[in-house]
Amino acid sequence: MEIWKDVVGYEGLYKVSNLGQVRSLDREVKIKGNNTKIKPGRILKPYLIYGYPVVILYDKNSRPKKGKVHRLVAIAFISNPENKPEVNHIDGIKTNSCINNLEWVTGNENKAHAVRLGLNKSPKGECSGMSKLTDDIVKEAKILYATGNFTFMVLGLKYNVSAHTISDAVKGRSWKHLLEVNN
């Protein structure tokens, strides 16, 4: 059963449901001259920002503000006695803002949950966009270092990176996605 509560800070203007919907309420609006009319309330259609449903809410002075639907639901329906700052989607689906899929968490709890579900897939190696090396260069550097004829300082100069960077790559502290290169 869908239950509606006022959106905190927008009482009398908007309501949010336990199923993750937001609606505006009927309100009186000014039109030409001193006339007014009743504008009927409606379910707001959210749009996505980084995968999260967001709605635009207007305060009593008609100033717009973005509201993330999952946060509106959590604030209205879920107690937060420990004053945790973030709202987590238990199933990992950002568009599922039903009350039974949300919980208050710390930043670290939220990150740990994302890791457990495999949600934060950061690019590895040359795909990261920040890398000065490539997979082939790291493989080559491992082979060269294994010969005993090259120091990390020499390899760093050869590949235009620091000795520390090439050392981390060769020893597997970075570039962990590469398999060991056998001689």
Side-chain angles (χ1 to χ4, degrees):
M1 181 166 117
E2 192 162 24
I3 300 167
W4 294 89
K5 289 188 176 182
D6 285 323
V7 172
V8 175
Y10 294 86
E11 293 82 357
L13 299 172
Y14 298 94
K15 289 193 178 274
V16 62
S17 86
N18 60 326
L19 301 181
Q21 294 195 90
V22 181
R23 71 177 183 194
S24 61
L25 301 178
D26 293 350
R27 66 181 114 201
E28 192 173 342
V29 295
K30 293 180 182 177
I31 55 174
K32 292 181 184 176
N34 280 339
N35 298 327
T36 60
K37 72 173 188 172
I38 299 295
K39 182 177 180 181
R42 64 180 177 84
I43 302 286
L44 303 183
K45 183 177 180 187
Y47 61 96
L48 300 179
I49 295 181
Y50 299 112
Y52 293 98
V54 174
V55 293
I56 301 293
L57 304 174
Y58 292 88
D59 65 15
K60 293 185 193 258
N61 296 316
S62 298
R63 290 183 301 236
K65 186 173 180 183
K66 295 174 188 165
K68 293 179 180 175
V69 174
H70 66 286
R71 287 194 63 81
L72 299 176
V73 172
I75 290 167
F77 289 95
I78 304 172
S79 67
N80 188 7
E82 296 177 44
N83 202 27
K84 293 184 177 184
E86 296 183 16
V87 179
N88 180 46
H89 291 81
I90 296 166
D91 66 3
I93 300 171
K94 296 176 182 179
T95 54
N96 182 359
S97 297
C98 293
I99 187 174
N100 62 355
N101 187 48
L102 303 175
E103 63 184 347
W104 288 103
V105 293
T106 65
N108 286 339
E109 290 169 335
N110 210 0
K111 288 174 192 160
H113 179 260
V115 168
R116 277 193 312 277
L117 293 185
L119 299 176
N120 56 345
K121 296 178 174 110
S122 56
K124 304 285 186 228
E126 62 190 57
C127 296
S128 76
M130 297 288 291
S131 175
K132 294 181 179 180
L133 301 172
T134 65
D135 290 355
D136 288 340
I137 287 173
V138 172
K139 290 174 187 175
E140 179 181 288
K142 286 183 176 198
I143 292 168
L144 292 175
Y145 182 74
T147 67
N149 297 326
F150 294 87
T151 65
F152 290 127
M153 181 65 74
V154 171
L155 289 171
L157 290 170
K158 176 176 174 55
Y159 300 116
N160 199 27
V161 295
S162 71
H164 180 75
T165 297
I166 201 70
S167 170
D168 282 351
V170 168
K171 290 184 176 182
R173 289 188 295 260
S174 61
W175 296 79
K176 295 176 184 176
H177 65 286
L178 294 180
L179 299 174
E180 288 259 359
V181 177
N182 296 325
N183 292 349

